[in-house]
Protein backbone atom coordinates (compact mmCIF):
# COMPACT_ATOMS: atom_id res chain seq x y z
CA UNK A 1 0.00 0.00 0.00
CA UNK A 2 2.85 2.40 -0.81
CA UNK A 3 2.22 5.60 -2.70
CA UNK A 4 3.55 5.54 -6.25
CA UNK A 5 4.63 8.93 -7.55
CA UNK A 6 1.55 10.98 -8.37
CA UNK A 7 0.56 14.63 -8.18
CA UNK A 8 -2.11 13.71 -5.66
CA UNK A 9 -1.23 12.44 -2.24
CA UNK A 10 -3.16 9.40 -1.11
CA UNK A 11 -3.40 8.88 2.63
CA UNK A 12 -0.56 6.69 3.88
CA UNK A 13 -1.74 4.03 6.28
CA UNK A 14 -0.33 3.96 9.75
CA UNK A 15 0.13 0.26 10.56
CA UNK A 16 0.12 0.93 14.32
CA UNK A 17 -3.26 2.65 14.13
CA UNK A 18 -4.58 -0.26 12.09
CA UNK A 19 -3.24 -2.79 14.62
CA UNK A 20 -4.87 -0.88 17.52
CA UNK A 21 -8.12 -0.62 15.63
CA UNK A 22 -8.14 -4.32 14.77
CA UNK A 23 -7.57 -5.24 18.42
CA UNK A 24 -10.31 -2.88 19.63
CA UNK A 25 -12.78 -4.20 17.01
CA UNK A 26 -12.08 -7.77 18.10
CA UNK A 27 -12.40 -6.97 21.83
CA UNK A 28 -15.94 -6.78 23.24
CA UNK A 29 -14.97 -5.29 26.59
CA UNK A 30 -12.40 -2.74 27.79
CA UNK A 31 -8.77 -3.55 27.14
CA UNK A 32 -6.04 -2.03 29.28
CA UNK A 33 -3.45 0.25 27.73
CA UNK A 34 -0.64 -2.04 28.89
CA UNK A 35 -2.22 -5.21 27.38
CA UNK A 36 -2.88 -3.30 24.16
CA UNK A 37 0.69 -1.95 24.09
CA UNK A 38 2.17 -5.39 24.78
CA UNK A 39 0.04 -7.20 22.19
CA UNK A 40 1.13 -4.76 19.48
CA UNK A 41 4.68 -4.28 20.71
CA UNK A 42 4.66 -0.51 21.27
CA UNK A 43 4.83 1.84 24.24
CA UNK A 44 1.82 3.01 26.26
CA UNK A 45 2.62 6.60 25.27
CA UNK A 46 2.32 5.64 21.61
CA UNK A 47 -1.00 3.92 22.34
CA UNK A 48 -2.23 7.14 23.93
CA UNK A 49 -1.16 9.25 20.92
CA UNK A 50 -2.66 6.83 18.40
CA UNK A 51 -5.94 6.56 20.32
CA UNK A 52 -6.19 10.37 20.17
CA UNK A 53 -5.57 10.26 16.42
CA UNK A 54 -8.29 7.64 15.97
CA UNK A 55 -10.69 9.76 18.02
CA UNK A 56 -10.07 12.79 15.83
CA UNK A 57 -10.67 10.60 12.77
CA UNK A 58 -14.23 9.93 14.02
CA UNK A 59 -13.88 6.77 16.15
CA UNK A 60 -15.69 6.95 19.48
CA UNK A 61 -13.33 5.33 22.00
CA UNK A 62 -14.08 5.36 25.71
CA UNK A 63 -11.16 5.52 28.13
CA UNK A 64 -11.62 4.67 31.81
CA UNK A 65 -8.74 4.64 34.26
CA UNK A 66 -8.01 1.14 35.60
CA UNK A 67 -10.03 -0.45 32.80
CA UNK A 68 -8.47 0.93 29.61
CA UNK A 69 -10.05 1.52 26.22
CA UNK A 70 -13.28 0.38 24.58
CA UNK A 71 -14.44 1.06 21.03
CA UNK A 72 -17.93 2.51 21.33
CA UNK A 73 -18.79 3.54 17.78
CA UNK A 74 -17.29 3.28 14.32
CA UNK A 75 -17.57 6.12 11.80
CA UNK A 76 -20.01 5.46 8.95
CA UNK A 77 -18.22 7.89 6.67
CA UNK A 78 -15.43 6.47 4.52
CA UNK A 79 -12.43 6.58 6.88
CA UNK A 80 -9.05 5.31 5.66
CA UNK A 81 -8.13 3.59 8.93
CA UNK A 82 -11.31 1.51 8.83
CA UNK A 83 -11.19 0.97 5.08
CA UNK A 84 -7.64 -0.39 5.35
CA UNK A 85 -8.53 -2.53 8.39
CA UNK A 86 -11.44 -4.17 6.58
CA UNK A 87 -9.26 -4.28 3.45
CA UNK A 88 -7.15 -6.97 5.12
CA UNK A 89 -9.81 -9.43 3.91
CA UNK A 90 -8.61 -8.80 0.35
CA UNK A 91 -5.80 -10.76 -1.24
CA UNK A 92 -2.30 -9.52 -0.33
CA UNK A 93 -1.60 -8.21 -3.84
CA UNK A 94 -4.65 -5.90 -3.76
CA UNK A 95 -3.71 -2.27 -3.03
CA UNK A 96 -6.00 0.44 -1.67
CA UNK A 97 -5.61 4.17 -2.23
CA UNK A 98 -7.67 6.74 -0.39
CA UNK A 99 -7.91 10.48 -1.09
CA UNK A 100 -9.92 13.00 0.93
CA UNK A 101 -10.71 14.71 -2.39
CA UNK A 102 -9.88 13.99 -6.04
CA UNK A 103 -11.15 15.02 -9.47
CA UNK A 104 -12.37 11.55 -10.51
CA UNK A 105 -11.36 8.14 -9.18
CA UNK A 106 -11.18 6.79 -12.75
CA UNK A 107 -8.73 9.58 -13.69
CA UNK A 108 -6.64 8.86 -10.60
CA UNK A 109 -6.56 5.11 -11.29
CA UNK A 110 -5.14 5.91 -14.75
CA UNK A 111 -2.55 8.26 -13.26
CA UNK A 112 -1.53 5.76 -10.60
CA UNK A 113 -1.07 3.10 -13.26
CA UNK A 114 1.00 5.44 -15.43
CA UNK A 115 3.16 6.16 -12.39
CA UNK A 116 3.88 2.53 -11.64
CA UNK A 117 1.06 1.20 -9.45
CA UNK A 118 0.40 -2.47 -10.19
CA UNK A 119 -3.21 -3.65 -10.55
CA UNK A 120 -5.31 -4.96 -8.96
CA UNK A 121 -5.97 -1.85 -6.91
CA UNK A 122 -8.84 0.36 -5.87
CA UNK A 123 -9.06 4.13 -5.51
CA UNK A 124 -11.51 5.68 -3.04
CA UNK A 125 -12.38 9.24 -2.22
CA UNK A 126 -14.78 11.14 -0.02
CA UNK A 127 -15.21 13.86 -2.60
CA UNK A 128 -15.05 13.89 -6.41
CA UNK A 129 -14.74 17.32 -7.95
CA UNK A 130 -15.21 16.06 -11.52
CA UNK A 131 -17.11 12.78 -11.17
CA UNK A 132 -17.88 11.45 -14.62
CA UNK A 133 -20.46 9.19 -16.19
CA UNK A 134 -20.75 7.73 -19.69
CA UNK A 135 -20.27 9.93 -22.76
CA UNK A 136 -18.86 12.80 -20.74
CA UNK A 137 -21.91 13.03 -18.50
CA UNK A 138 -21.49 14.28 -14.97
CA UNK A 139 -21.78 12.11 -11.86
CA UNK A 140 -23.00 14.26 -9.00
CA UNK A 141 -20.78 13.42 -6.02
CA UNK A 142 -21.94 14.79 -2.69
CA UNK A 143 -19.01 14.83 -0.28
CA UNK A 144 -18.77 12.23 2.50
CA UNK A 145 -22.16 10.60 2.00
CA UNK A 146 -21.67 8.23 -0.90
CA UNK A 147 -19.24 5.81 -2.42
CA UNK A 148 -16.91 6.89 -5.23
CA UNK A 149 -14.40 4.28 -6.25
CA UNK A 150 -12.51 2.80 -9.17
CA UNK A 151 -11.12 -0.70 -9.33
CA UNK A 152 -8.38 -1.46 -11.82
CA UNK A 153 -7.25 -4.81 -13.24
CA UNK A 154 -4.64 -5.65 -15.86
CA UNK A 155 -6.08 -8.63 -17.76
CA UNK A 156 -3.63 -8.48 -20.67
CA UNK A 157 -5.91 -10.72 -22.70
CA UNK A 158 -8.27 -10.66 -25.70
CA UNK A 159 -10.91 -7.93 -25.18
CA UNK A 160 -13.76 -10.41 -25.90
CA UNK A 161 -13.10 -12.14 -22.60
CA UNK A 162 -14.10 -9.04 -20.68
CA UNK A 163 -17.06 -8.05 -22.86
CA UNK A 164 -19.59 -8.91 -20.16
CA UNK A 165 -17.52 -7.60 -17.24
CA UNK A 166 -19.73 -4.53 -16.64
CA UNK A 167 -22.83 -6.74 -16.61
CA UNK A 168 -21.32 -9.27 -14.20
CA UNK A 169 -20.11 -6.41 -12.01
CA UNK A 170 -23.66 -5.02 -11.89
CA UNK A 171 -24.99 -8.47 -10.93
CA UNK A 172 -22.36 -9.09 -8.26
CA UNK A 173 -22.69 -5.60 -6.77
CA UNK A 174 -26.48 -6.11 -6.60
CA UNK A 175 -25.94 -9.46 -4.87
CA UNK A 176 -23.69 -7.82 -2.27
CA UNK A 177 -26.13 -5.01 -1.58
CA UNK A 178 -29.06 -7.46 -1.42
CA UNK A 179 -27.12 -9.56 1.10
CA UNK A 180 -27.00 -6.44 3.30
CA UNK A 181 -30.56 -5.24 2.58
CA UNK A 182 -32.61 -8.27 1.42
CA UNK A 183 -35.87 -6.30 1.06
CA UNK A 184 -34.41 -3.70 -1.33
CA UNK A 185 -36.02 -3.63 -4.77
CA UNK A 186 -32.70 -3.42 -6.61
CA UNK A 187 -32.48 -3.78 -10.39
CA UNK A 188 -30.04 -3.08 -13.22
CA UNK A 189 -30.99 -0.96 -16.21
CA UNK A 190 -29.02 -2.39 -19.10
CA UNK A 191 -26.16 -2.02 -19.33
CA UNK A 192 -24.76 -0.13 -16.36
CA UNK A 193 -27.13 1.62 -13.96
CA UNK A 194 -28.56 0.29 -10.71
CA UNK A 195 -32.13 1.29 -9.91
CA UNK A 196 -34.28 1.16 -6.79
CA UNK A 197 -38.02 1.64 -7.18
CA UNK A 198 -37.56 3.31 -10.55
CA UNK A 199 -34.79 5.70 -9.44
CA UNK A 200 -31.07 5.56 -10.08
CA UNK A 201 -28.98 4.57 -7.05
CA UNK A 202 -25.69 3.78 -8.79
CA UNK A 203 -23.82 4.32 -12.03
CA UNK A 204 -21.01 2.16 -13.39
CA UNK A 205 -18.44 3.39 -15.88
CA UNK A 206 -16.00 0.88 -17.37
CA UNK A 207 -12.95 2.15 -19.27
CA UNK A 208 -10.34 -0.09 -20.89
CA UNK A 209 -6.96 0.34 -22.59
CA UNK A 210 -6.89 -1.84 -25.67
CA UNK A 211 -4.28 -2.06 -28.41
CA UNK A 212 -3.30 -4.68 -30.97
CA UNK A 213 -6.23 -6.83 -29.95
CA UNK A 214 -5.17 -7.03 -26.32
CA UNK A 215 -6.90 -5.48 -23.36
CA UNK A 216 -4.12 -4.24 -21.11
CA UNK A 217 -6.12 -2.65 -18.32
CA UNK A 218 -9.73 -2.21 -17.33
CA UNK A 219 -11.12 0.21 -14.75
CA UNK A 220 -14.52 -0.15 -13.21
CA UNK A 221 -15.68 3.16 -11.78
CA UNK A 222 -18.66 3.10 -9.48
CA UNK A 223 -20.73 5.79 -7.84
CA UNK A 224 -23.19 4.42 -5.29
CA UNK A 225 -25.57 6.71 -3.43
CA UNK A 226 -25.49 5.42 0.13
CA UNK A 227 -26.22 8.00 2.81
CA UNK A 228 -27.44 11.04 0.80
CA UNK A 229 -30.93 12.23 1.59
CA UNK A 230 -33.30 12.94 -1.32
CA UNK A 231 -33.23 16.65 -0.40
CA UNK A 232 -29.46 16.81 -0.74
CA UNK A 233 -29.44 15.82 -4.44
CA UNK A 234 -29.24 18.81 -6.78
CA UNK A 235 -32.53 19.91 -8.32
CA UNK A 236 -31.74 18.47 -11.77
CA UNK A 237 -31.48 14.87 -10.52
CA UNK A 238 -33.73 14.95 -7.45
CA UNK A 239 -36.65 13.27 -9.21
CA UNK A 240 -34.51 10.54 -10.83
CA UNK A 241 -31.94 9.75 -8.09
CA UNK A 242 -32.20 7.80 -4.87
CA UNK A 243 -29.90 6.37 -2.19
CA UNK A 244 -29.87 3.32 0.08
CA UNK A 245 -30.76 5.64 2.95
CA UNK A 246 -33.65 7.27 1.07
CA UNK A 247 -35.03 3.79 0.28
CA UNK A 248 -34.69 2.29 3.75
CA UNK A 249 -34.66 5.22 6.21
CA UNK A 250 -31.36 3.99 7.56
CA UNK A 251 -27.73 4.96 7.04
CA UNK A 252 -24.93 2.49 6.30
CA UNK A 253 -21.26 1.93 7.13
CA UNK A 254 -19.54 2.94 3.92
CA UNK A 255 -16.28 1.23 4.88
CA UNK A 256 -17.69 -2.29 5.15
CA UNK A 257 -19.76 -1.77 2.02
CA UNK A 258 -16.71 -0.53 0.08
CA UNK A 259 -14.84 -3.78 0.73
CA UNK A 260 -17.96 -5.76 -0.25
CA UNK A 261 -18.07 -3.81 -3.52
CA UNK A 262 -14.40 -4.62 -4.24
CA UNK A 263 -15.04 -8.30 -3.54
CA UNK A 264 -18.09 -8.23 -5.83
CA UNK A 265 -16.01 -6.66 -8.60
CA UNK A 266 -13.25 -9.23 -8.16
CA UNK A 267 -15.86 -12.02 -8.42
CA UNK A 268 -17.18 -10.43 -11.64
CA UNK A 269 -13.64 -10.19 -13.03
CA UNK A 270 -13.02 -13.85 -12.24
CA UNK A 271 -16.30 -14.85 -13.94
CA UNK A 272 -14.86 -13.37 -17.13
CA UNK A 273 -11.27 -14.49 -16.85
CA UNK A 274 -11.37 -18.02 -15.43
CA UNK A 275 -12.26 -20.91 -17.71
CA UNK A 276 -14.54 -22.75 -15.28
CA UNK A 277 -17.35 -20.22 -14.89
CA UNK A 278 -20.50 -22.27 -15.41
CA UNK A 279 -23.02 -19.67 -14.35
CA UNK A 280 -25.31 -18.41 -17.11
CA UNK A 281 -25.08 -14.63 -17.60
CA UNK A 282 -28.61 -14.25 -18.96
CA UNK A 283 -30.14 -16.25 -16.08
CA UNK A 284 -28.16 -14.33 -13.46
CA UNK A 285 -29.19 -11.07 -15.17
CA UNK A 286 -32.87 -12.04 -15.12
CA UNK A 287 -33.03 -11.70 -11.33
CA UNK A 288 -32.09 -7.99 -11.58
CA UNK A 289 -33.36 -6.99 -15.03
CA UNK A 290 -35.06 -3.60 -14.71
CA UNK A 291 -36.21 -3.49 -18.33
CA UNK A 292 -37.60 -7.00 -18.78
CA UNK A 293 -41.11 -7.06 -20.31
CA UNK A 294 -41.20 -3.26 -20.44
CA UNK A 295 -41.76 -1.21 -23.61
CA UNK A 296 -38.52 0.60 -24.47
CA UNK A 297 -36.98 2.64 -27.25
CA UNK A 298 -33.44 3.55 -28.23
CA UNK A 299 -31.47 4.98 -31.12
CA UNK A 300 -29.12 2.71 -33.01
CA UNK A 301 -27.02 4.07 -35.89
CA UNK A 302 -29.39 7.05 -36.10
CA UNK A 303 -32.45 4.77 -36.33
CA UNK A 304 -35.06 4.63 -33.57
CA UNK A 305 -35.82 1.08 -32.40
CA UNK A 306 -38.88 0.39 -30.23
CA UNK A 307 -40.30 -2.77 -28.73
CA UNK A 308 -40.52 -4.97 -25.68
CA UNK A 309 -37.34 -5.74 -23.70
CA UNK A 310 -36.84 -9.50 -23.44
CA UNK A 311 -33.61 -9.73 -21.44
CA UNK A 312 -30.05 -10.30 -22.60
CA UNK A 313 -28.38 -13.07 -24.59
CA UNK A 314 -25.35 -15.07 -23.44
CA UNK A 315 -23.02 -12.31 -24.73
CA UNK A 316 -24.82 -9.61 -22.78
CA UNK A 317 -26.58 -7.99 -25.76
CA UNK A 318 -30.09 -6.66 -25.18
CA UNK A 319 -32.92 -8.52 -26.93
CA UNK A 320 -35.93 -6.50 -28.10
CA UNK A 321 -39.15 -7.84 -29.59
CA UNK A 322 -40.12 -5.20 -32.14
CA UNK A 323 -43.72 -4.33 -32.92
CA UNK A 324 -43.56 -6.50 -36.07
CA UNK A 325 -42.67 -9.50 -33.87
CA UNK A 326 -39.02 -9.68 -35.00
CA UNK A 327 -36.30 -10.07 -32.36
CA UNK A 328 -33.65 -7.36 -32.52
CA UNK A 329 -30.27 -7.58 -30.79
CA UNK A 330 -28.71 -4.39 -29.39
CA UNK A 331 -25.03 -4.23 -28.45
CA UNK A 332 -24.89 -0.65 -27.20
CA UNK A 333 -27.21 2.29 -26.77
CA UNK A 334 -29.10 4.60 -24.47
CA UNK A 335 -32.35 2.94 -23.53
CA UNK A 336 -35.45 4.97 -22.69
CA UNK A 337 -38.41 3.42 -20.92
CA UNK A 338 -41.71 4.24 -22.61
CA UNK A 339 -44.29 5.50 -20.16
P1 LIG B 1 -28.72 7.62 -18.19
O1 LIG B 1 -29.03 6.49 -19.16
O2 LIG B 1 -29.47 7.56 -16.90
O3 LIG B 1 -28.70 8.98 -18.81
P2 LIG B 1 -25.96 6.87 -18.38
O4 LIG B 1 -25.75 5.44 -18.06
O5 LIG B 1 -25.82 7.23 -19.77
O6 LIG B 1 -27.27 7.37 -17.68
P3 LIG B 1 -24.18 7.52 -16.34
O7 LIG B 1 -22.83 7.72 -16.77
O8 LIG B 1 -24.48 6.25 -15.64
O9 LIG B 1 -25.00 7.77 -17.60
O10 LIG B 1 -24.65 8.67 -15.35
C1 LIG B 1 -24.76 10.03 -15.69
C2 LIG B 1 -26.22 10.46 -15.52
O11 LIG B 1 -26.76 10.00 -14.28
C3 LIG B 1 -26.33 11.97 -15.46
O12 LIG B 1 -26.56 12.47 -16.73
C4 LIG B 1 -27.52 12.21 -14.51
O13 LIG B 1 -28.74 12.15 -15.20
C5 LIG B 1 -27.50 11.03 -13.59
N1 LIG B 1 -26.77 11.27 -12.32
C6 LIG B 1 -25.67 12.04 -12.08
N2 LIG B 1 -25.26 11.94 -10.83
C7 LIG B 1 -26.12 11.09 -10.21
C8 LIG B 1 -26.21 10.57 -8.89
N3 LIG B 1 -25.37 10.89 -7.92
N4 LIG B 1 -27.23 9.71 -8.64
C9 LIG B 1 -28.11 9.33 -9.58
N5 LIG B 1 -28.06 9.79 -10.85
C10 LIG B 1 -27.08 10.66 -11.16
Amino acid sequence: MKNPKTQNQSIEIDSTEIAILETLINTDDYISGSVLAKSIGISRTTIHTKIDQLKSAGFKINAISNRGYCLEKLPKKLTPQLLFTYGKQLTKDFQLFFYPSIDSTNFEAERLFSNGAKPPFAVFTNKQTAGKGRLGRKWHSQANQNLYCSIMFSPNTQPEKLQSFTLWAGIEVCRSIKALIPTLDLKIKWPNDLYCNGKKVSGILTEARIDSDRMHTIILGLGLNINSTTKSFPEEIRSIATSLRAETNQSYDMNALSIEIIQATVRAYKKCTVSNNNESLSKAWDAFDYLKDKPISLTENGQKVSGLALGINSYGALQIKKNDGKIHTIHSGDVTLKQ
Side-chain angles (χ1 to χ4, degrees):
M1 296 187 195
K2 288 216 177 76
N3 268 336
K5 264 191 168 176
T6 163
Q7 292 152 304
N8 306 294
Q9 207 50 48
S10 95
I11 299 280
E12 287 275 5
I13 50 153
D14 179 328
S15 54
T16 311
E17 270 181 53
I18 304 292
I20 295 173
L21 199 52
E22 251 192 314
T23 313
L24 290 180
I25 288 174
N26 294 322
T27 311
D28 292 336
D29 200 359
Y30 280 80
I31 179 166
S32 78
S34 56
V35 172
L36 196 53
K38 209 169 166 198
S39 70
I40 299 169
I42 50 171
S43 71
R44 286 193 64 175
T45 327
T46 313
I47 291 281
H48 191 78
T49 314
K50 299 293 173 190
I51 291 275
D52 279 349
Q53 281 167 5
L54 286 169
K55 280 183 180 170
S56 39
F59 293 87
K60 199 166 171 226
I61 300 168
N62 283 347
I64 301 183
S65 50
N66 297 329
R67 289 191 71 191
Y69 302 102
C70 179
L71 185 61
E72 187 89 332
K73 210 169 164 196
L74 295 167
K76 286 191 169 169
K77 168 185 157 179
L78 207 59
T79 307
Q81 291 89 339
L82 201 47
L83 188 68
F84 289 125
T85 302
Y86 291 156
K88 287 192 160 186
Q89 296 163 40
L90 302 168
T91 52
K92 280 221 156 47
D93 62 335
F94 204 106
Q95 290 191 89
L96 296 177
F97 297 96
F98 173 87
Y99 300 83
S101 171
I102 202 88
D103 50 358
S104 132
T105 55
N106 267 31
F107 284 148
E108 183 59 16
E110 277 290 356
R111 285 189 293 257
L112 283 165
F113 180 72
S114 302
N115 287 303
K118 295 251 177 308
F121 62 78
V123 179
F124 287 88
T125 189
N126 270 331
K127 187 178 170 194
Q128 281 195 127
T129 53
K132 56 173 179 166
R134 287 197 308 163
L135 311 165
R137 288 169 190 152
K138 186 179 162 200
W139 187 257
H140 174 71
S141 308
Q142 190 192 0
N144 300 323
Q145 302 301 324
N146 305 317
L147 184 62
Y148 313 111
C149 71
S150 294
I151 301 156
M152 189 175 205
F153 300 94
S154 51
N156 198 22
T157 186
Q158 308 100 294
E160 299 77 52
K161 271 201 165 176
L162 274 300
Q163 72 182 5
S164 50
F165 174 57
T166 308
L167 307 180
W168 276 119
I171 293 167
E172 290 294 344
V173 168
C174 281
R175 285 174 172 168
S176 289
I177 299 173
K178 287 282 280 186
L180 178 71
I181 320 170
T183 52
L184 196 70
D185 172 36
L186 188 62
K187 301 278 180 212
I188 316 170
K189 181 178 168 223
W190 185 88
N192 66 328
D193 292 323
L194 307 197
Y195 273 68
C196 276
N197 289 318
K199 289 184 174 185
K200 190 148 140 185
V201 69
S202 174
I204 293 175
L205 173 70
T206 314
E207 294 179 305
R209 272 198 203 185
I210 301 173
D211 67 57
S212 321
D213 273 356
R214 284 201 94 67
M215 183 186 281
H216 294 284
T217 56
I218 189 159
I219 304 173
L220 185 119
L222 185 133
L224 171 64
N225 300 328
I226 300 182
N227 291 331
S228 269
T229 56
T230 311
K231 269 198 298 203
S232 63
F233 287 121
E235 187 70 44
E236 71 265 24
I237 62 164
R238 203 168 294 158
S239 62
I240 58 157
T242 190
S243 69
L244 299 184
R245 177 174 172 186
E247 293 300 315
T248 60
N249 280 323
Q250 198 182 317
S251 54
Y252 296 90
D253 171 6
M254 294 183 21
N255 302 283
L257 199 46
S258 296
I259 301 301
E260 291 295 331
I261 298 291
I262 294 180
Q263 285 175 326
T265 311
V266 170
R267 285 198 300 274
Y269 182 74
K270 285 190 179 151
K271 294 257 181 223
C272 300
T273 51
V274 298
S275 52
N276 61 348
N277 171 35
N278 298 321
E279 193 177 1
S280 150
L281 174 64
S282 47
K283 272 199 191 133
W285 183 265
D286 251 10
F288 299 107
D289 192 347
Y290 177 61
L291 299 176
K292 189 145 190 181
D293 298 329
K294 291 185 179 146
I296 60 168
S297 68
L298 56 92
T299 308
E300 188 191 42
N301 302 327
Q303 294 272 79
K304 194 170 169 193
V305 183
S306 302
L308 206 64
L310 299 179
I312 61 170
N313 66 16
S314 57
Y315 300 102
L318 184 66
Q319 306 288 102
I320 300 182
K321 188 176 181 186
K322 293 203 294 187
N323 297 338
D324 61 9
K326 289 195 178 126
I327 310 291
H328 196 77
T329 301
I330 305 284
H331 294 278
S332 68
D334 256 350
V335 177
T336 309
L337 264 176
K338 283 183 157 182
Q339 293 308 318

